[in-house]
Amino acid sequence: MKGNPFTSQSFERNWIKHYCKDQKITSFDFLRNVKFTKTKIWPIYVNIGKNFTNGITYDINNEVIDFKGKVALIYDVQDFNTVEAPTRSRIKLNKVRQYEAYYGDLSERKSIEEVITANFNSSKSRYNFRRSLKQLNEAVDLKVDYFYGDIEKDAYIKYMQLFKDLLNKRFDDKSEFNTVLPMWDFYTDLIYDMILEKRVVLNVLSNGEEPIAMSINFVTDQAISVAIRTFDIAYNKLNIGNIEIYKLIEWCLENDIKMIDFSKGEGLYKTRWTEIEYHYDFHILYDSKSLYASIVGITLTKFFKFKQYLRDKEVNTWVIKLKYFKKRLLGQK
């Protein structure tokens, strides 16, 4: 049985290796399935992985409270994973809405044609998609590989370098900053381990031997979380991005995956292939019997509410553009 990949030993080990070598790792008996590091300035414990996961799951042990005077921040808890602080407890839990997200329910779908019928809401859109699929097959020597449970190390290194190159090319074309690229060494170490553990499927569409679309997808028992996607922009007119998703959903149906989660972030393809919208919450837990912890916890709650207000006003769009131009000025890849 595979649990949450973002609280697995492999994820924790690689995160610690790249981002908190000299920091103490803390766990609490009353908060199960999640570990923390403490911030340097504030007395706040932050979950390993921070906001670079596709959903943290945890639960509270009502019988143990080892949290006196402390504050914890848990990023990216999906709103359908309900967690509540125990009643009549000194522990206070504040939830702050953050990013919108989307998932598709595959539990009742028997074939990829049923998925297309459900998500392309007109005969014209279904016809156009099937035509683009036919055109791609006529234009290229299409090959699809799913790496799940096994991959040769040399081939893996080659694919990850090509993935990075395509990601750079695509975001340069959009003049946008990509948060994943500065972390590529971390992902290179992490994804190899998780492919072998069947916690990740690497989907690769190629024209012959040349990859033209790729995605990294985290896997639990009956769900898949689409984490990082890219494609060669030279094939954009052939609808390569949507066809990569189509091929991934085929794999999901063949492997009894019940949910495909496109996670947080914008993208027209997300609303195209899904029918359920949800959102991520940040969870802020603090000891309400401690004045200092209460002040920090309440202040942190207000900070993230204000940050979400700015995001709702699309201020973050300008920040992303500025980060991209800074990267270009500094000649960074």
Side-chain angles (χ1 to χ4, degrees), residues 28-34 58-67 83-87 89 91 285:
F28 299 103
D29 291 335
F30 93 101
L31 280 175
R32 292 180 289 212
N33 303 324
V34 60
Y58 74 100
D59 62 303
I60 296 175
N61 182 354
N62 296 348
E63 299 177 359
V64 181
I65 299 295
D66 55 339
F67 202 61
V83 180
E84 300 297 337
T87 57
S89 167
I91 300 303
L285 301 102

Side-chain angles (χ1 to χ4, degrees), residues 224-245:
I224 193 168
S225 182
V226 180
I228 311 171
R229 303 181 63 238
T230 194
F231 55 82
D232 190 334
I233 58 175
Y235 294 83
N236 195 28
K237 290 184 179 180
L238 292 172
N239 205 10
I240 187 63
N242 277 304
I243 292 172
E244 188 273 323
I245 294 171

Side-chain angles (χ1 to χ4, degrees), residues 100-161:
E100 293 179 347
Y102 307 86
Y103 75 82
D105 184 0
L106 303 178
S107 60
E108 301 298 322
R109 309 299 181 210
K110 304 301 182 185
S111 69
I112 189 64
E113 285 303 312
E114 288 188 17
V115 176
I116 292 173
T117 300
N119 291 288
F120 290 74
N121 55 13
S122 71
S123 57
K124 182 178 180 181
S125 63
R126 291 191 290 273
Y127 169 79
N128 287 338
F129 177 74
R130 293 187 180 109
R131 184 180 63 178
S132 65
L133 182 61
K134 181 181 178 182
Q135 288 174 336
L136 181 68
N137 278 291
E138 291 173 347
V140 307
D141 178 18
L142 187 63
K143 176 185 174 186
V144 185
D145 291 297
Y146 306 100
F147 296 100
Y148 180 65
D150 182 54
I151 188 171
E152 292 183 3
K153 188 63 177 287
D154 289 346
Y156 170 77
I157 295 299
K158 180 190 76 173
Y159 281 127
M160 289 299 282
Q161 183 57 54

Side-chain angles (χ1 to χ4, degrees), residues 190-280:
L190 173 69
I191 301 307
Y192 179 73
D193 291 342
M194 288 202 159
I195 289 174
L196 300 184
E197 294 171 2
K198 292 189 173 182
R199 294 181 184 273
V200 161
V201 55
L202 173 63
N203 187 25
V204 181
L205 274 62
S206 301
N207 180 8
E209 298 301 317
E210 175 194 8
I212 57 176
M214 310 172 79
S215 66
I216 292 168
N217 312 280
F218 290 93
V219 183
T220 59
D221 280 330
Q222 294 186 317
I224 193 168
S225 182
V226 180
I228 311 171
R229 303 181 63 238
T230 194
F231 55 82
D232 190 334
I233 58 175
Y235 294 83
N236 195 28
K237 290 184 179 180
L238 292 172
N239 205 10
I240 187 63
N242 277 304
I243 292 172
E244 188 273 323
I245 294 171
Y246 168 88
K247 292 296 182 181
L248 180 62
I249 293 176
E250 279 191 326
W251 184 90
C252 289
L253 295 173
E254 291 171 3
N255 287 272
D256 199 31
I257 298 294
K258 305 298 185 185
M259 182 177 87
I260 181 165
D261 184 3
F262 286 94
S263 190
K264 57 193 171 184
E266 299 177 354
L268 291 176
Y269 69 91
K270 294 186 179 185
T271 54
R272 162 64 73 195
W273 290 98
T274 64
E275 65 278 359
I276 300 168
E277 182 178 338
Y278 69 96
H279 59 82
Y280 280 85

Side-chain angles (χ1 to χ4, degrees), residues 74-92:
I74 302 177
Y75 286 93
D76 294 349
V77 182
Q78 293 147 317
D79 66 352
F80 51 79
N81 289 321
T82 55
V83 180
E84 300 297 337
T87 57
R88 298 179 183 177
S89 167
R90 65 190 292 161
I91 300 303
K92 178 73 173 177

